[in-house]
């Protein structure tokens, strides 16, 4: 199946731009996006690496919609960095997210053979992010809840609270999903609830913040962080019974002193040919 492709993307956090070839059949879908296998092309150090192309599921992708997602990505990168500095933790990384305009779209000779989940147009914008694999998991829900079948992740739970504390109560980060790679949490672009309701259609504002803190239980990392006034009674109750269970579980084995290498490969890979056949012939 021939690949479709994008034009050159917006710059990533290191200033590099790429264009992407990707297949039309999605390998996963969420509430808002279809996810497609892709390969990065260009002169940056990620040339030839797998990526995920995210296509808006229920609406035609626009530059404005992509900008909102990138705004979220940049905000959590900023919060993640300050969280690591203030708490001496470098266990959390969020994947890089860029936008790109469509260029070529594979169109089948026979319409019935199309793999597209919905029609894709050349005037659309799509999002490109680092590939995390197929088996990522939810750590914290978009309402602050913890999945029933997973153990409490103290660091991620505290990061949710820290986002509120660090921004003086203007927002909270939640909806954390991804994978654990080399002792570091690698996460996709999350949900942000803000007082200003400026982070897209998943931003539920103050109501969303209240909902997150209704489910949140403080632990040894976040017990001294500020809490919402409207949630103080519930939050104080949970802080009095601060949970330290799982602290040793959070000391992940094999963690690098810096997780930057996961997003900025140190080895030269630009000479390697893109692995098209592995992606597009499956």
């Amino acid at each position: 199946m021939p690949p479709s492709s994008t034009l050159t993307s917006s710059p990533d956090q290191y200033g590099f731009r790429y264009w992407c070839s990707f297949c039309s059949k999605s390998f996963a879908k969420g509430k808002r996006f279809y996810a497609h296998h892709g390969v990065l092309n260009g002169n940056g150090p990620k040339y030839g690496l797998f990526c995920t192309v995210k296509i808006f599921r229920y609406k035609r992708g626009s530059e404005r919609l992509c900008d909102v997602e990138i705004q979220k990505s940049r905000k959590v990168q900023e919060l993640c960095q300050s969280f690591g500095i203030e708490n001496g933790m470098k266990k959390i990384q969020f994947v890089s997210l860029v936008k790109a305009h469509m260029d070529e779209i594979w169109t089948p000779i026979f319409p019935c053979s199309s793999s597209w989940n919905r029609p894709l147009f050349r005037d659309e914008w799509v999002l490109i992010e680092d590939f995390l694999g197929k088996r990522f998991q939810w750590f914290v829900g978009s309402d602050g809840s913890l999945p029933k079948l997973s153990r409490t992740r103290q660091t991620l739970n505290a990061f949710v609270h820290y986002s509120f504390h660090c921004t003086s109560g203007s927002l909270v980060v939640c909806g954390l999903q991804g994978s654990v790679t080399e002792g570091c949490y690698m996460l996709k672009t999350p949900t942000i609830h803000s007082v200003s309701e400026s982070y897209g259609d998943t931003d539920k504002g103050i109501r969303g913040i209240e909902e997150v803190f209704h489910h949140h239980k403080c632990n040894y990392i976040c017990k001294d962080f500020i809490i919402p006034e409207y949630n103080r009674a519930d939050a104080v109750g949970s802080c009095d019974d601060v949970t330290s269970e799982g602290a040793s579980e959070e000391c992940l084995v094999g963690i690098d002193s810096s997780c930057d290498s996961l997003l900025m490969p140190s080895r030269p890979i630009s000479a390697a040919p893109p692995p098209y056949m592995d992606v597009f012939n499956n």
Side-chain angles (χ1 to χ4, degrees):
M1 183 182 297
S4 297
S5 61
T6 70
L7 297 175
T8 303
S9 73
S10 58
D12 64 12
Q13 69 266 45
Y14 302 109
F16 294 104
R17 297 173 182 266
Y18 302 90
W19 62 273
C20 178
S21 301
F22 65 99
C23 56
S24 62
K25 185 176 182 180
S26 64
F27 69 88
K29 63 181 178 181
K31 293 182 179 179
R32 302 173 58 234
F33 296 100
Y34 290 112
H36 298 251
H37 285 300
V39 176
L40 292 173
N41 305 276
N43 297 321
K46 293 182 180 179
Y47 167 79
L49 293 184
F50 293 114
C51 65
T52 298
V53 177
K54 299 170 67 174
I55 297 174
F56 288 91
R57 187 171 177 182
Y58 294 115
K59 59 184 72 175
R60 186 179 299 193
S62 67
E63 187 173 18
R64 183 186 63 81
L65 289 172
C66 290
D67 284 340
V68 171
E69 297 301 311
I70 292 174
Q71 179 189 12
K72 287 195 291 186
S73 177
R74 289 175 178 171
K75 187 62 181 179
V76 295
Q77 296 278 4
E78 173 190 324
L79 291 170
C80 184
Q81 182 177 11
S82 61
F83 178 72
I85 293 173
E86 292 184 21
N87 297 279
M89 298 178 180
K90 295 184 178 180
K91 300 177 182 178
I92 305 174
Q93 287 281 313
F94 286 88
V95 296
S96 173
L97 187 67
V98 297
K99 63 183 178 181
H101 198 279
M102 285 302 305
D103 182 20
E104 297 293 334
I105 300 174
W106 176 73
T107 303
I109 299 176
F110 303 103
C112 62
S113 65
S114 176
S115 296
W116 293 112
N117 299 104
R118 68 162 180 82
L120 188 64
F121 303 92
R122 289 190 64 179
D123 64 345
E124 281 199 56
W125 288 77
V126 297
L127 292 162
I128 304 171
E129 69 179 15
D130 300 324
F131 182 64
L132 290 182
K134 297 180 180 180
R135 296 185 177 180
F136 52 84
Q137 58 182 304
W138 279 99
F139 297 112
V140 181
S142 58
D143 59 355
S145 60
L146 300 171
K148 294 180 180 179
L149 299 180
S150 68
R151 291 185 295 177
T152 299
R153 306 287 184 170
Q154 301 283 2
T155 301
L156 296 182
N157 194 33
F159 176 71
V160 170
H161 193 166
Y162 176 80
S163 64
F164 181 82
H165 174 80
C166 181
T167 59
S168 301
S170 65
L171 60 81
V172 67
V173 174
C174 53
L176 303 182
Q177 61 175 320
S179 61
V180 181
T181 305
E182 297 182 14
C184 182
Y185 291 110
M186 299 297 295
L187 306 175
K188 300 168 71 67
T189 305
T191 298
I192 297 181
H193 301 305
S194 66
V195 174
S196 60
E197 298 187 25
S198 55
Y199 290 94
D201 53 11
T202 59
D203 185 345
K204 296 182 180 179
I206 293 177
R207 180 169 60 88
I209 296 174
E210 291 177 342
E211 192 172 25
V212 168
F213 277 93
H214 174 73
H215 291 101
H216 176 75
K217 178 175 287 189
C218 290
N219 58 49
Y220 69 102
I221 303 172
C222 64
K223 61 185 178 65
D224 295 323
F225 293 168
I226 64 171
I227 55 179
E229 289 294 333
Y230 41 77
N231 236 120
R232 183 167 296 275
D234 292 337
V236 168
S238 58
C239 283
D240 288 340
D241 186 24
V242 173
T243 174
S244 59
E245 180 183 356
S248 59
E249 172 264 331
E250 284 292 300
C251 299
L252 301 173
V253 177
I255 185 168
D256 192 348
S257 59
S258 172
C259 295
D260 290 345
S261 59
L262 298 175
L263 296 181
M264 173 61 82
S266 56
R267 61 183 176 86
I269 60 173
S270 57
Y276 293 110
M277 302 304 292
D278 292 338
V279 178
F280 301 115
N281 287 346
N282 291 331

